[in-house]
Amino acid sequence: MTTARNDNVVVRSLTQIGACGIFLLTILAAIPRSFRHGRETIRQIWFVGAMSLTIVMTCGLFVGMVLGLQLYDVLSIFGGTSATGTVVAIAIYRELGPVVTALLFAGRAGTSVTAEIGLMRATDQLDAMEMMAVDPIAYVIAPRFLAGVVALPLLAVVFCAMGVFGGHLVGVTWLGIDNGTFWSNMTATVDVHKDIIDGVLLKSIAFGIVVSLIAVFQGYTTPPTSEGVAYATTRTVVASSIAILALDFVLTSFLI
Amino acid sequence: MTQRRSYAFGTGLFIVLGFAALAYLATQTTSVANASQGSSYTVETHFANIGQLKNRAPVKIAGVRVGSVQAIDLVPGKEEAKVTLSIDDRHKDIPEDSVATIFTSGLLGDQYVGIQFGQSKTPVKEGGEIGLTRPAQQLEEMIGKFFGGGSAPDRLGGTFHVTGSFTNVGALQPGAAVKMAGVPIGSVDSVTIKSGSSEATVTLAIDKRYSQIPDDSAGAVFTSGLIGSQYVAIQPGGSPTFLAEGDQLILTQSALQLEDLIGKFLVNGSPSDNKSGGAQGGTQPDNSGKK
């Protein structure tokens, strides 16, 4: 990074954001070239997506279960336990599904992408590629970015399905809400456009872009030291989490 | 190479799983009926009271959702709400004399607009109006009805006004019911005392559907039940001419005061003593013959 040490926080943050934006344009320009390395993209989808399935499914199940439990407890005060399914589904689709998946994704996949690229930088592999006339943006960065953008919506959808299943498990199987009531109230209220397309898909695609961009950017601009890699990995998680939650508010206020 | 193939296989499996989950969410946890089905047309309605009706509330025919409330405005200068309904194009055949009513789904549920078909062969057109409406039922009115009090004045026909003078209206309030043969036919519009008079002037708004009330009918202030609210009962007379807008009820009977009744009972001992006792004609027409 070319930023001087004595610049203040505002200048440094703006410089980072600006560099990040330019980096995004560089990646987008390199995406057509990266299709020559299609196998690399598929390998990355496997790595950041399929390998994250276990954690995402487990967390989705538990989030759905705890929501079912809490909502049943609160709604029983008003005699409205039949609305448990509805509220579980809407809460998961609109907020928890995309947001929690994105946070898990930043921790599980974003960090390893940052660390991998950072180590490539630290061990001069990226420079070596350039020497061999292999564009590191097209071969290393763009496939990882694309993989994140593709994988996160799929993970979020799986998370939501597991969450609804968890809510059903607790609400119907355990607490004895009527099975028909649970589903019919849910289907009567959940809207395909507002909840699934706007809620799950649009949000998670936006989060996928943001998290992947932060992860590859932090890795690519790592200071080539072991300390730098550690620091970049931490920054990926912190910056992604803040970006996800802030963007979530902005998106929600537009979509609602 | 086997390593690479396993990546590709796993990735494919992951993507298929993701889309399967999406299909599951979209089909199993939502209802296709909720999605807006293409084009729709708008119909205007006017309500005296919309209660808690909100934009996007459902419009239902026979309980089936056919559209939604698009806009709610106040008609300028009137105490009347204009509700614009957006109805799906597939339901083009709503008779133009249908009745739009605001219902509540369940005791605590949201309110929606229900359309009950009329007899007309002409369907309501795009931008047309469903003229016959019933306003939202307010809980207070329902309780009032339970105690025999007033029902919400609906817009099914419009009203005409007649007045009557009473020496005592008891606890009669504007909005109380006007009944004939126990059936609500209108409501009390106002209870005032005219200057220079010691009698209460009660203006009754009576539904135009009940226009054939003989003009020598008597008006009486009754109480429904022991703790019920008071209402005006019309006791039809025998005249061939009917009451019209602005007419006055000649014969009126004032409210019975519970205190008077108890007093009479104590003083007179038994009802059979009525003739010799000092009972004032509380149950007699007060203003007989006065015009």
Side-chain angles (χ1 to χ4, degrees), chain B residues 46-60:
Chain B
H46 293 239
F47 288 98
N49 190 335
I50 58 160
Q52 265 65 252
L53 192 73
K54 304 263 191 330
N55 279 345
R56 296 192 52 179
V59 176
K60 295 183 179 183

Side-chain angles (χ1 to χ4, degrees), chain A residues 25-40:
Chain A
L25 294 180
T26 319
I27 296 173
L28 291 179
I31 281 176
R33 276 179 286 144
S34 77
F35 287 146
R36 269 185 297 170
H37 315 291
R39 284 185 182 282
E40 176 65 8

Side-chain angles (χ1 to χ4, degrees), chain B residues 260-279:
Chain B
D260 288 352
L261 288 180
I262 293 172
K264 273 182 211 167
F265 179 73
L266 291 177
V267 170
N268 298 327
S270 75
S272 60
D273 288 344
N274 252 351
K275 283 170 193 160
S276 56

Side-chain angles (χ1 to χ4, degrees), chain A:
Chain A
M1 294 259 52
T2 54
T3 39
R5 282 276 161 219
N6 56 0
D7 280 344
N8 67 28
V9 176
V10 179
V11 172
R12 262 185 291 150
S13 320
L14 285 178
T15 315
Q16 280 264 326
I17 292 171
C20 206
I22 294 167
F23 193 63
L24 175 64
L25 294 180
T26 319
I27 296 173
L28 291 179
I31 281 176
R33 276 179 286 144
S34 77
F35 287 146
R36 269 185 297 170
H37 315 291
R39 284 185 182 282
E40 176 65 8
T41 310
I42 288 175
R43 200 179 73 88
Q44 289 303 325
I45 294 178
W46 159 261
F47 179 69
V48 298
M51 299 286 277
S52 308
L53 263 184
T54 323
I55 184 175
V56 163
M57 287 173 82
T58 316
C59 293
L61 185 68
F62 281 117
V63 166
M65 284 168 72
V66 82
L67 264 185
L69 204 54
Q70 289 280 14
L71 285 169
Y72 183 88
D73 186 47
V74 174
L75 288 172
S76 62
I77 298 172
F78 310 105
T81 53
S82 56
T84 306
T86 310
V87 188
V88 167
I90 287 183
I92 288 181
Y93 291 169
R94 290 196 189 167
E95 291 301 331
L96 290 170
V99 171
V100 175
T101 312
L103 291 173
L104 290 172
F105 186 81
R108 162 68 182 72
T111 49
S112 53
V113 165
T114 304
E116 192 185 7
I117 299 175
L119 273 173
M120 285 182 177
R121 166 68 72 199
T123 53
D124 292 333
Q125 287 182 48
L126 296 178
D127 294 333
M129 277 182 202
E130 275 178 46
M131 301 269 286
M132 294 188 293
V134 174
D135 182 4
I137 301 280
Y139 184 68
V140 176
I141 307 297
R144 285 167 174 75
F145 175 77
L146 272 183
V149 176
V150 171
L152 186 48
L154 296 175
L155 289 172
V157 168
V158 172
F159 181 99
C160 292
M162 289 306 287
V164 171
F165 176 70
H168 181 265
L169 199 68
V170 167
V172 176
T173 314
W174 182 11
L175 296 172
I177 301 171
D178 180 63
N179 189 38
T181 316
F182 185 89
W183 289 114
S184 64
N185 279 347
M186 191 192 292
T187 53
T189 318
V190 175
D191 184 69
V192 179
H193 286 272
K194 196 172 160 61
D195 295 323
I196 293 186
I197 294 179
D198 282 2
V200 184
L201 290 181
L202 206 132
K203 274 188 180 178
S204 56
I205 289 172
F207 295 159
I209 293 172
V210 167
V211 173
S212 307
L213 179 64
I214 290 175
V216 292
F217 176 74
Q218 292 293 350
Y220 197 73
T221 58
T222 307
T225 59
S226 46
E227 192 194 11
V229 174
Y231 190 53
T233 313
T234 309
R235 265 205 305 204
T236 297
V237 175
V238 174
S240 297
S241 306
I242 295 172
I244 290 164
L245 295 172
L247 187 65
D248 182 46
F249 174 75
V250 174
L251 280 178
T252 305
S253 60
F254 274 110
L255 293 176
I256 211 155

